[in-house]
Amino acid sequence: MSTKSKRESFLAESMSDKLYDIVVRALVAIAVVICVYPFLYVVSVSMSSGQAVNQGRVWLLPVDIDFSTFRMVMDYGELWMSYGNTIFYTVVGTVCNIIMTCLAAYPLSRQRFFLRRKLNFLLAFTMYFSGGLIPTYIVVTSLGLYNTRAAMIIPVLASAYNIMICRSAFEAIPEDLFEEAALEGANDFMILGKIAVPLIKPTLAVLTLYYAVARYNDFFNAMLYLGRRELEPLQLFLRKILLLSSSEILQSSGSVTAVAAAAQSTIQVRYVCIVLAVIPILIACPFVQKYLVKGTMLGAVKG
């Protein structure tokens, strides 16, 4: 091939690569806009004046910034009661989830565990088949968990998928470390707590995020197992906000802010509640973001 032909081929490949980069960047930009715009719109509506919202003048950025709706919603007592319940369910539930996940994943990752194959099969089986909603409800109520905080924690104490991720992370640890620790007189609980768990911290950070987000967003179990308002989580409160108008929500419990709510845009009250509900997750995510890729790969790839 002549020098001219090589140059033309190189230029053709360069143009092809540039065109590919342009298309990919354009698609990424479109995806970012699609993902970011709804949240930005919700924030803008919540911070705008009620008149601007009712007139439809808010479409991207806040118009006539006004925090009166925030103050009105934050004066509502049931919001903070449900906030406290959600924090309790999230913190306590996530801690229990991580403990149970480690206790289940560690023995399943050890070659010398004689029930390893059978339990791994049963664990995978539960990912495809379950007893169903009605049998689960009957079991939970028969155990006396209905209308208790334990109903939000015990039925979802561990995830089969997360256990498999944690198991793979344990399997990636060299077996020599466990053998040397055993020779030094360490039992399985000491090996788990002082060797295995510290070595898979990135994976546990990711699993903590998975569990915490799932706990924070859980409202279906609350609908099934909680009938007392003082036990309801934040997501169940938000569901009521989205189904009813702002004045109906606040008047339902005789709130003194019901009159103010009647003067506000219903959609604005809803969006303010959504923004207040998202704030804790936005604060927590950056602290574990750096572990996300590393932790997921550590749990997914052996060796």
Side-chain angles (χ1 to χ4, degrees), residues 11-49:
L11 291 175
E13 291 179 359
S14 299
M15 291 298 296
S16 177
D17 291 341
K18 290 181 180 179
L19 181 61
Y20 176 79
D21 290 340
I22 292 173
V23 172
V24 170
R25 291 178 181 179
L27 292 176
V28 171
I30 293 173
V32 169
V33 171
I34 293 174
C35 294
V36 173
Y37 176 74
F39 182 72
L40 180 60
Y41 177 76
V42 169
V43 175
S44 298
V45 169
S46 65
M47 296 175 58
S48 301
S49 65

PDB file of all heavy atoms in Angstrom, residues 11-49:
ATOM      1  N   LEU A  11      -6.891   8.984   7.667  1.00  0.00           N
ATOM      2  CA  LEU A  11      -7.824  10.103   7.771  1.00  0.00           C
ATOM      3  C   LEU A  11      -9.267   9.604   7.854  1.00  0.00           C
ATOM      4  O   LEU A  11     -10.089  10.160   8.585  1.00  0.00           O
ATOM      5  CB  LEU A  11      -7.652  11.032   6.565  1.00  0.00           C
ATOM      6  CG  LEU A  11      -6.335  11.826   6.512  1.00  0.00           C
ATOM      7  CD1 LEU A  11      -6.245  12.619   5.214  1.00  0.00           C
ATOM      8  CD2 LEU A  11      -6.219  12.761   7.717  1.00  0.00           C
ATOM      9  N   ALA A  12      -9.573   8.541   7.086  1.00  0.00           N
ATOM     10  CA  ALA A  12     -10.929   7.976   7.123  1.00  0.00           C
ATOM     11  C   ALA A  12     -11.248   7.409   8.504  1.00  0.00           C
ATOM     12  O   ALA A  12     -12.348   7.599   9.033  1.00  0.00           O
ATOM     13  CB  ALA A  12     -11.074   6.902   6.047  1.00  0.00           C
ATOM     14  N   GLU A  13     -10.260   6.708   9.100  1.00  0.00           N
ATOM     15  CA  GLU A  13     -10.470   6.168  10.442  1.00  0.00           C
ATOM     16  C   GLU A  13     -10.612   7.288  11.474  1.00  0.00           C
ATOM     17  O   GLU A  13     -11.427   7.198  12.393  1.00  0.00           O
ATOM     18  CB  GLU A  13      -9.304   5.253  10.814  1.00  0.00           C
ATOM     19  CG  GLU A  13      -9.260   3.960  10.018  1.00  0.00           C
ATOM     20  CD  GLU A  13      -8.076   3.093  10.406  1.00  0.00           C
ATOM     21  OE1 GLU A  13      -7.293   3.536  11.279  1.00  0.00           O
ATOM     22  OE2 GLU A  13      -7.939   1.989   9.841  1.00  0.00           O
ATOM     23  N   SER A  14      -9.821   8.345  11.332  1.00  0.00           N
ATOM     24  CA  SER A  14      -9.913   9.478  12.261  1.00  0.00           C
ATOM     25  C   SER A  14     -11.282  10.140  12.174  1.00  0.00           C
ATOM     26  O   SER A  14     -11.887  10.464  13.198  1.00  0.00           O
ATOM     27  CB  SER A  14      -8.806  10.490  11.955  1.00  0.00           C
ATOM     28  OG  SER A  14      -7.529   9.909  12.114  1.00  0.00           O
ATOM     29  N   MET A  15     -11.780  10.337  10.956  1.00  0.00           N
ATOM     30  CA  MET A  15     -13.104  10.925  10.795  1.00  0.00           C
ATOM     31  C   MET A  15     -14.174  10.022  11.380  1.00  0.00           C
ATOM     32  O   MET A  15     -15.138  10.490  12.005  1.00  0.00           O
ATOM     33  CB  MET A  15     -13.370  11.177   9.307  1.00  0.00           C
ATOM     34  CG  MET A  15     -12.515  12.280   8.699  1.00  0.00           C
ATOM     35  SD  MET A  15     -12.824  13.890   9.483  1.00  0.00           S
ATOM     36  CE  MET A  15     -14.535  14.133   9.018  1.00  0.00           C
ATOM     37  N   SER A  16     -14.010   8.713  11.186  1.00  0.00           N
ATOM     38  CA  SER A  16     -14.981   7.758  11.742  1.00  0.00           C
ATOM     39  C   SER A  16     -14.978   7.804  13.274  1.00  0.00           C
ATOM     40  O   SER A  16     -16.039   7.795  13.904  1.00  0.00           O
ATOM     41  CB  SER A  16     -14.655   6.356  11.253  1.00  0.00           C
ATOM     42  OG  SER A  16     -15.519   5.405  11.814  1.00  0.00           O
ATOM     43  N   ASP A  17     -13.776   7.867  13.861  1.00  0.00           N
ATOM     44  CA  ASP A  17     -13.678   7.950  15.319  1.00  0.00           C
ATOM     45  C   ASP A  17     -14.280   9.243  15.838  1.00  0.00           C
ATOM     46  O   ASP A  17     -14.964   9.256  16.866  1.00  0.00           O
ATOM     47  CB  ASP A  17     -12.209   7.850  15.750  1.00  0.00           C
ATOM     48  CG  ASP A  17     -11.633   6.463  15.501  1.00  0.00           C
ATOM     49  OD1 ASP A  17     -12.434   5.520  15.349  1.00  0.00           O
ATOM     50  OD2 ASP A  17     -10.390   6.351  15.435  1.00  0.00           O
ATOM     51  N   LYS A  18     -14.012  10.351  15.146  1.00  0.00           N
ATOM     52  CA  LYS A  18     -14.575  11.631  15.577  1.00  0.00           C
ATOM     53  C   LYS A  18     -16.088  11.633  15.488  1.00  0.00           C
ATOM     54  O   LYS A  18     -16.779  12.135  16.379  1.00  0.00           O
ATOM     55  CB  LYS A  18     -13.993  12.760  14.724  1.00  0.00           C
ATOM     56  CG  LYS A  18     -12.523  13.053  14.987  1.00  0.00           C
ATOM     57  CD  LYS A  18     -12.038  14.196  14.116  1.00  0.00           C
ATOM     58  CE  LYS A  18     -10.559  14.490  14.388  1.00  0.00           C
ATOM     59  NZ  LYS A  18     -10.059  15.596  13.528  1.00  0.00           N
ATOM     60  N   LEU A  19     -16.607  11.064  14.399  1.00  0.00           N
ATOM     61  CA  LEU A  19     -18.064  10.980  14.251  1.00  0.00           C
ATOM     62  C   LEU A  19     -18.672  10.120  15.342  1.00  0.00           C
ATOM     63  O   LEU A  19     -19.726  10.455  15.906  1.00  0.00           O
ATOM     64  CB  LEU A  19     -18.411  10.411  12.871  1.00  0.00           C
ATOM     65  CG  LEU A  19     -19.910  10.273  12.556  1.00  0.00           C
ATOM     66  CD1 LEU A  19     -20.582  11.642  12.595  1.00  0.00           C
ATOM     67  CD2 LEU A  19     -20.102   9.607  11.194  1.00  0.00           C
ATOM     68  N   TYR A  20     -17.992   9.010  15.660  1.00  0.00           N
ATOM     69  CA  TYR A  20     -18.458   8.133  16.739  1.00  0.00           C
ATOM     70  C   TYR A  20     -18.474   8.874  18.071  1.00  0.00           C
ATOM     71  O   TYR A  20     -19.451   8.780  18.838  1.00  0.00           O
ATOM     72  CB  TYR A  20     -17.562   6.902  16.813  1.00  0.00           C
ATOM     73  CG  TYR A  20     -17.900   5.972  17.955  1.00  0.00           C
ATOM     74  CD1 TYR A  20     -18.972   5.082  17.866  1.00  0.00           C
ATOM     75  CD2 TYR A  20     -17.153   5.978  19.132  1.00  0.00           C
ATOM     76  CE1 TYR A  20     -19.285   4.235  18.905  1.00  0.00           C
ATOM     77  CE2 TYR A  20     -17.458   5.144  20.176  1.00  0.00           C
ATOM     78  CZ  TYR A  20     -18.521   4.272  20.064  1.00  0.00           C
ATOM     79  OH  TYR A  20     -18.835   3.434  21.097  1.00  0.00           O
ATOM     80  N   ASP A  21     -17.406   9.617  18.362  1.00  0.00           N
ATOM     81  CA  ASP A  21     -17.343  10.376  19.620  1.00  0.00           C
ATOM     82  C   ASP A  21     -18.446  11.422  19.686  1.00  0.00           C
ATOM     83  O   ASP A  21     -19.063  11.631  20.741  1.00  0.00           O
ATOM     84  CB  ASP A  21     -15.977  11.061  19.752  1.00  0.00           C
ATOM     85  CG  ASP A  21     -14.852  10.072  19.991  1.00  0.00           C
ATOM     86  OD1 ASP A  21     -15.151   8.942  20.427  1.00  0.00           O
ATOM     87  OD2 ASP A  21     -13.679  10.424  19.744  1.00  0.00           O
ATOM     88  N   ILE A  22     -18.717  12.071  18.573  1.00  0.00           N
ATOM     89  CA  ILE A  22     -19.771  13.099  18.551  1.00  0.00           C
ATOM     90  C   ILE A  22     -21.131  12.477  18.837  1.00  0.00           C
ATOM     91  O   ILE A  22     -21.925  12.998  19.630  1.00  0.00           O
ATOM     92  CB  ILE A  22     -19.778  13.825  17.189  1.00  0.00           C
ATOM     93  CG1 ILE A  22     -18.513  14.672  17.036  1.00  0.00           C
ATOM     94  CG2 ILE A  22     -21.016  14.718  17.065  1.00  0.00           C
ATOM     95  CD1 ILE A  22     -18.362  15.293  15.660  1.00  0.00           C
ATOM     96  N   VAL A  23     -21.405  11.339  18.194  1.00  0.00           N
ATOM     97  CA  VAL A  23     -22.697  10.671  18.399  1.00  0.00           C
ATOM     98  C   VAL A  23     -22.845  10.211  19.848  1.00  0.00           C
ATOM     99  O   VAL A  23     -23.896  10.405  20.480  1.00  0.00           O
ATOM    100  CB  VAL A  23     -22.838   9.477  17.437  1.00  0.00           C
ATOM    101  CG1 VAL A  23     -24.091   8.655  17.776  1.00  0.00           C
ATOM    102  CG2 VAL A  23     -22.898   9.957  15.994  1.00  0.00           C
ATOM    103  N   VAL A  24     -21.779   9.612  20.404  1.00  0.00           N
ATOM    104  CA  VAL A  24     -21.838   9.124  21.778  1.00  0.00           C
ATOM    105  C   VAL A  24     -22.045  10.277  22.758  1.00  0.00           C
ATOM    106  O   VAL A  24     -22.880  10.201  23.672  1.00  0.00           O
ATOM    107  CB  VAL A  24     -20.547   8.353  22.132  1.00  0.00           C
ATOM    108  CG1 VAL A  24     -20.485   8.063  23.630  1.00  0.00           C
ATOM    109  CG2 VAL A  24     -20.484   7.054  21.345  1.00  0.00           C
ATOM    110  N   ARG A  25     -21.297  11.356  22.571  1.00  0.00           N
ATOM    111  CA  ARG A  25     -21.442  12.505  23.465  1.00  0.00           C
ATOM    112  C   ARG A  25     -22.821  13.144  23.355  1.00  0.00           C
ATOM    113  O   ARG A  25     -23.390  13.592  24.362  1.00  0.00           O
ATOM    114  CB  ARG A  25     -20.356  13.531  23.162  1.00  0.00           C
ATOM    115  CG  ARG A  25     -18.958  13.059  23.543  1.00  0.00           C
ATOM    116  CD  ARG A  25     -17.896  14.070  23.181  1.00  0.00           C
ATOM    117  NE  ARG A  25     -16.570  13.576  23.541  1.00  0.00           N
ATOM    118  CZ  ARG A  25     -15.446  14.249  23.321  1.00  0.00           C
ATOM    119  NH1 ARG A  25     -15.491  15.447  22.743  1.00  0.00           N
ATOM    120  NH2 ARG A  25     -14.286  13.723  23.675  1.00  0.00           N
ATOM    121  N   ALA A  26     -23.356  13.166  22.161  1.00  0.00           N
ATOM    122  CA  ALA A  26     -24.705  13.714  21.991  1.00  0.00           C
ATOM    123  C   ALA A  26     -25.745  12.858  22.704  1.00  0.00           C
ATOM    124  O   ALA A  26     -26.648  13.374  23.376  1.00  0.00           O
ATOM    125  CB  ALA A  26     -25.035  13.817  20.502  1.00  0.00           C
ATOM    126  N   LEU A  27     -25.603  11.535  22.571  1.00  0.00           N
ATOM    127  CA  LEU A  27     -26.545  10.641  23.246  1.00  0.00           C
ATOM    128  C   LEU A  27     -26.424  10.754  24.766  1.00  0.00           C
ATOM    129  O   LEU A  27     -27.440  10.748  25.484  1.00  0.00           O
ATOM    130  CB  LEU A  27     -26.298   9.191  22.810  1.00  0.00           C
ATOM    131  CG  LEU A  27     -26.635   8.871  21.345  1.00  0.00           C
ATOM    132  CD1 LEU A  27     -26.243   7.435  21.017  1.00  0.00           C
ATOM    133  CD2 LEU A  27     -28.111   9.087  21.080  1.00  0.00           C
ATOM    134  N   VAL A  28     -25.183  10.874  25.269  1.00  0.00           N
ATOM    135  CA  VAL A  28     -24.984  11.043  26.710  1.00  0.00           C
ATOM    136  C   VAL A  28     -25.591  12.355  27.187  1.00  0.00           C
ATOM    137  O   VAL A  28     -26.232  12.413  28.244  1.00  0.00           O
ATOM    138  CB  VAL A  28     -23.478  10.974  27.049  1.00  0.00           C
ATOM    139  CG1 VAL A  28     -23.247  11.368  28.507  1.00  0.00           C
ATOM    140  CG2 VAL A  28     -22.935   9.578  26.797  1.00  0.00           C
ATOM    141  N   ALA A  29     -25.392  13.423  26.398  1.00  0.00           N
ATOM    142  CA  ALA A  29     -25.970  14.722  26.776  1.00  0.00           C
ATOM    143  C   ALA A  29     -27.493  14.654  26.822  1.00  0.00           C
ATOM    144  O   ALA A  29     -28.124  15.195  27.750  1.00  0.00           O
ATOM    145  CB  ALA A  29     -25.512  15.791  25.788  1.00  0.00           C
ATOM    146  N   ILE A  30     -28.087  13.970  25.843  1.00  0.00           N
ATOM    147  CA  ILE A  30     -29.551  13.822  25.836  1.00  0.00           C
ATOM    148  C   ILE A  30     -30.011  13.023  27.053  1.00  0.00           C
ATOM    149  O   ILE A  30     -31.008  13.380  27.705  1.00  0.00           O
ATOM    150  CB  ILE A  30     -30.002  13.139  24.531  1.00  0.00           C
ATOM    151  CG1 ILE A  30     -29.739  14.059  23.333  1.00  0.00           C
ATOM    152  CG2 ILE A  30     -31.489  12.784  24.602  1.00  0.00           C
ATOM    153  CD1 ILE A  30     -29.990  13.389  21.996  1.00  0.00           C
ATOM    154  N   ALA A  31     -29.283  11.945  27.377  1.00  0.00           N
ATOM    155  CA  ALA A  31     -29.646  11.133  28.545  1.00  0.00           C
ATOM    156  C   ALA A  31     -29.541  11.946  29.840  1.00  0.00           C
ATOM    157  O   ALA A  31     -30.394  11.822  30.727  1.00  0.00           O
ATOM    158  CB  ALA A  31     -28.749   9.897  28.619  1.00  0.00           C
ATOM    159  N   VAL A  32     -28.494  12.766  29.944  1.00  0.00           N
ATOM    160  CA  VAL A  32     -28.330  13.602  31.133  1.00  0.00           C
ATOM    161  C   VAL A  32     -29.485  14.586  31.271  1.00  0.00           C
ATOM    162  O   VAL A  32     -30.040  14.774  32.351  1.00  0.00           O
ATOM    163  CB  VAL A  32     -26.977  14.345  31.080  1.00  0.00           C
ATOM    164  CG1 VAL A  32     -26.911  15.412  32.172  1.00  0.00           C
ATOM    165  CG2 VAL A  32     -25.828  13.368  31.249  1.00  0.00           C
ATOM    166  N   VAL A  33     -29.866  15.214  30.150  1.00  0.00           N
ATOM    167  CA  VAL A  33     -30.978  16.173  30.182  1.00  0.00           C
ATOM    168  C   VAL A  33     -32.271  15.474  30.590  1.00  0.00           C
ATOM    169  O   VAL A  33     -33.042  15.990  31.413  1.00  0.00           O
ATOM    170  CB  VAL A  33     -31.133  16.855  28.809  1.00  0.00           C
ATOM    171  CG1 VAL A  33     -32.409  17.680  28.768  1.00  0.00           C
ATOM    172  CG2 VAL A  33     -29.922  17.740  28.523  1.00  0.00           C
ATOM    173  N   ILE A  34     -32.509  14.284  30.029  1.00  0.00           N
ATOM    174  CA  ILE A  34     -33.732  13.549  30.353  1.00  0.00           C
ATOM    175  C   ILE A  34     -33.783  13.190  31.839  1.00  0.00           C
ATOM    176  O   ILE A  34     -34.847  13.223  32.465  1.00  0.00           O
ATOM    177  CB  ILE A  34     -33.834  12.280  29.481  1.00  0.00           C
ATOM    178  CG1 ILE A  34     -34.048  12.674  28.018  1.00  0.00           C
ATOM    179  CG2 ILE A  34     -34.963  11.371  29.961  1.00  0.00           C
ATOM    180  CD1 ILE A  34     -34.026  11.496  27.067  1.00  0.00           C
ATOM    181  N   CYS A  35     -32.627  12.859  32.423  1.00  0.00           N
ATOM    182  CA  CYS A  35     -32.583  12.451  33.830  1.00  0.00           C
ATOM    183  C   CYS A  35     -32.621  13.648  34.780  1.00  0.00           C
ATOM    184  O   CYS A  35     -33.249  13.587  35.842  1.00  0.00           O
ATOM    185  CB  CYS A  35     -31.324  11.620  34.097  1.00  0.00           C
ATOM    186  SG  CYS A  35     -31.286  10.029  33.251  1.00  0.00           S
ATOM    187  N   VAL A  36     -31.947  14.729  34.400  1.00  0.00           N
ATOM    188  CA  VAL A  36     -31.789  15.867  35.309  1.00  0.00           C
ATOM    189  C   VAL A  36     -32.986  16.813  35.257  1.00  0.00           C
ATOM    190  O   VAL A  36     -33.388  17.365  36.289  1.00  0.00           O
ATOM    191  CB  VAL A  36     -30.484  16.635  34.986  1.00  0.00           C
ATOM    192  CG1 VAL A  36     -30.395  17.928  35.799  1.00  0.00           C
ATOM    193  CG2 VAL A  36     -29.279  15.751  35.278  1.00  0.00           C
ATOM    194  N   TYR A  37     -33.564  16.995  34.077  1.00  0.00           N
ATOM    195  CA  TYR A  37     -34.616  18.007  33.945  1.00  0.00           C
ATOM    196  C   TYR A  37     -35.814  17.789  34.875  1.00  0.00           C
ATOM    197  O   TYR A  37     -36.287  18.745  35.497  1.00  0.00           O
ATOM    198  CB  TYR A  37     -35.095  18.089  32.491  1.00  0.00           C
ATOM    199  CG  TYR A  37     -36.251  19.047  32.319  1.00  0.00           C
ATOM    200  CD1 TYR A  37     -36.044  20.421  32.362  1.00  0.00           C
ATOM    201  CD2 TYR A  37     -37.552  18.578  32.150  1.00  0.00           C
ATOM    202  CE1 TYR A  37     -37.103  21.307  32.230  1.00  0.00           C
ATOM    203  CE2 TYR A  37     -38.616  19.446  32.018  1.00  0.00           C
ATOM    204  CZ  TYR A  37     -38.392  20.814  32.055  1.00  0.00           C
ATOM    205  OH  TYR A  37     -39.435  21.679  31.940  1.00  0.00           O
ATOM    206  N   PRO A  38     -36.352  16.555  34.989  1.00  0.00           N
ATOM    207  CA  PRO A  38     -37.499  16.390  35.901  1.00  0.00           C
ATOM    208  C   PRO A  38     -37.207  16.821  37.332  1.00  0.00           C
ATOM    209  O   PRO A  38     -38.035  17.471  37.974  1.00  0.00           O
ATOM    210  CB  PRO A  38     -37.807  14.884  35.814  1.00  0.00           C
ATOM    211  CG  PRO A  38     -37.265  14.468  34.498  1.00  0.00           C
ATOM    212  CD  PRO A  38     -36.034  15.289  34.291  1.00  0.00           C
ATOM    213  N   PHE A  39     -36.022  16.446  37.838  1.00  0.00           N
ATOM    214  CA  PHE A  39     -35.681  16.840  39.211  1.00  0.00           C
ATOM    215  C   PHE A  39     -35.486  18.354  39.313  1.00  0.00           C
ATOM    216  O   PHE A  39     -35.926  18.975  40.288  1.00  0.00           O
ATOM    217  CB  PHE A  39     -34.420  16.118  39.657  1.00  0.00           C
ATOM    218  CG  PHE A  39     -34.025  16.433  41.074  1.00  0.00           C
ATOM    219  CD1 PHE A  39     -34.753  15.933  42.147  1.00  0.00           C
ATOM    220  CD2 PHE A  39     -32.934  17.237  41.331  1.00  0.00           C
ATOM    221  CE1 PHE A  39     -34.393  16.229  43.451  1.00  0.00           C
ATOM    222  CE2 PHE A  39     -32.566  17.540  42.630  1.00  0.00           C
ATOM    223  CZ  PHE A  39     -33.301  17.044  43.690  1.00  0.00           C
ATOM    224  N   LEU A  40     -34.828  18.946  38.317  1.00  0.00           N
ATOM    225  CA  LEU A  40     -34.645  20.396  38.322  1.00  0.00           C
ATOM    226  C   LEU A  40     -35.987  21.112  38.263  1.00  0.00           C
ATOM    227  O   LEU A  40     -36.187  22.140  38.940  1.00  0.00           O
ATOM    228  CB  LEU A  40     -33.770  20.809  37.133  1.00  0.00           C
ATOM    229  CG  LEU A  40     -33.467  22.305  36.993  1.00  0.00           C
ATOM    230  CD1 LEU A  40     -32.732  22.819  38.222  1.00  0.00           C
ATOM    231  CD2 LEU A  40     -32.662  22.578  35.735  1.00  0.00           C
ATOM    232  N   TYR A  41     -36.919  20.563  37.512  1.00  0.00           N
ATOM    233  CA  TYR A  41     -38.256  21.163  37.423  1.00  0.00           C
ATOM    234  C   TYR A  41     -38.981  21.088  38.758  1.00  0.00           C
ATOM    235  O   TYR A  41     -39.626  22.060  39.186  1.00  0.00           O
ATOM    236  CB  TYR A  41     -39.069  20.453  36.341  1.00  0.00           C
ATOM    237  CG  TYR A  41     -40.491  20.944  36.229  1.00  0.00           C
ATOM    238  CD1 TYR A  41     -40.778  22.155  35.621  1.00  0.00           C
ATOM    239  CD2 TYR A  41     -41.543  20.180  36.735  1.00  0.00           C
ATOM    240  CE1 TYR A  41     -42.087  22.606  35.520  1.00  0.00           C
ATOM    241  CE2 TYR A  41     -42.847  20.625  36.632  1.00  0.00           C
ATOM    242  CZ  TYR A  41     -43.119  21.840  36.027  1.00  0.00           C
ATOM    243  OH  TYR A  41     -44.417  22.289  35.940  1.00  0.00           O
ATOM    244  N   VAL A  42     -38.876  19.944  39.428  1.00  0.00           N
ATOM    245  CA  VAL A  42     -39.513  19.797  40.741  1.00  0.00           C
ATOM    246  C   VAL A  42     -38.947  20.806  41.731  1.00  0.00           C
ATOM    247  O   VAL A  42     -39.690  21.467  42.478  1.00  0.00           O
ATOM    248  CB  VAL A  42     -39.322  18.358  41.263  1.00  0.00           C
ATOM    249  CG1 VAL A  42     -39.738  18.261  42.724  1.00  0.00           C
ATOM    250  CG2 VAL A  42     -40.134  17.382  40.427  1.00  0.00           C
ATOM    251  N   VAL A  43     -37.621  20.963  41.754  1.00  0.00           N
ATOM    252  CA  VAL A  43     -36.984  21.924  42.656  1.00  0.00           C
ATOM    253  C   VAL A  43     -37.418  23.343  42.319  1.00  0.00           C
ATOM    254  O   VAL A  43     -37.710  24.153  43.213  1.00  0.00           O
ATOM    255  CB  VAL A  43     -35.451  21.789  42.604  1.00  0.00           C
ATOM    256  CG1 VAL A  43     -34.783  22.872  43.441  1.00  0.00           C
ATOM    257  CG2 VAL A  43     -35.021  20.421  43.099  1.00  0.00           C
ATOM    258  N   SER A  44     -37.474  23.676  41.035  1.00  0.00           N
ATOM    259  CA  SER A  44     -37.858  25.025  40.615  1.00  0.00           C
ATOM    260  C   SER A  44     -39.298  25.349  41.014  1.00  0.00           C
ATOM    261  O   SER A  44     -39.583  26.446  41.499  1.00  0.00           O
ATOM    262  CB  SER A  44     -37.684  25.169  39.093  1.00  0.00           C
ATOM    263  OG  SER A  44     -36.339  24.987  38.725  1.00  0.00           O
ATOM    264  N   VAL A  45     -40.207  24.395  40.820  1.00  0.00           N
ATOM    265  CA  VAL A  45     -41.603  24.615  41.205  1.00  0.00           C
ATOM    266  C   VAL A  45     -41.726  24.806  42.708  1.00  0.00           C
ATOM    267  O   VAL A  45     -42.459  25.679  43.189  1.00  0.00           O
ATOM    268  CB  VAL A  45     -42.478  23.444  40.733  1.00  0.00           C
ATOM    269  CG1 VAL A  45     -43.877  23.532  41.348  1.00  0.00           C
ATOM    270  CG2 VAL A  45     -42.578  23.437  39.217  1.00  0.00           C
ATOM    271  N   SER A  46     -40.988  24.012  43.469  1.00  0.00           N
ATOM    272  CA  SER A  46     -41.082  24.111  44.930  1.00  0.00           C
ATOM    273  C   SER A  46     -40.560  25.445  45.452  1.00  0.00           C
ATOM    274  O   SER A  46     -40.997  25.909  46.507  1.00  0.00           O
ATOM    275  CB  SER A  46     -40.298  22.966  45.584  1.00  0.00           C
ATOM    276  OG  SER A  46     -38.909  23.089  45.315  1.00  0.00           O
ATOM    277  N   MET A  47     -39.642  26.084  44.722  1.00  0.00           N
ATOM    278  CA  MET A  47     -39.041  27.336  45.177  1.00  0.00           C
ATOM    279  C   MET A  47     -39.706  28.567  44.569  1.00  0.00           C
ATOM    280  O   MET A  47     -39.361  29.695  44.929  1.00  0.00           O
ATOM    281  CB  MET A  47     -37.546  27.348  44.834  1.00  0.00           C
ATOM    282  CG  MET A  47     -36.741  26.275  45.540  1.00  0.00           C
ATOM    283  SD  MET A  47     -35.008  26.229  44.991  1.00  0.00           S
ATOM    284  CE  MET A  47     -34.468  27.893  45.362  1.00  0.00           C
ATOM    285  N   SER A  48     -40.636  28.390  43.662  1.00  0.00           N
ATOM    286  CA  SER A  48     -41.288  29.519  42.999  1.00  0.00           C
ATOM    287  C   SER A  48     -42.520  29.957  43.776  1.00  0.00           C
ATOM    288  O   SER A  48     -43.002  29.255  44.675  1.00  0.00           O
ATOM    289  CB  SER A  48     -41.669  29.141  41.563  1.00  0.00           C
ATOM    290  OG  SER A  48     -40.541  28.762  40.816  1.00  0.00           O
ATOM    291  N   SER A  49     -43.032  31.111  43.414  1.00  0.00           N
ATOM    292  CA  SER A  49     -44.248  31.608  44.055  1.00  0.00           C
ATOM    293  C   SER A  49     -45.449  30.820  43.562  1.00  0.00           C
ATOM    294  O   SER A  49     -45.446  30.286  42.444  1.00  0.00           O
ATOM    295  CB  SER A  49     -44.439  33.090  43.747  1.00  0.00           C
ATOM    296  OG  SER A  49     -44.659  33.289  42.364  1.00  0.00           O
TER     297      SER A  49
END
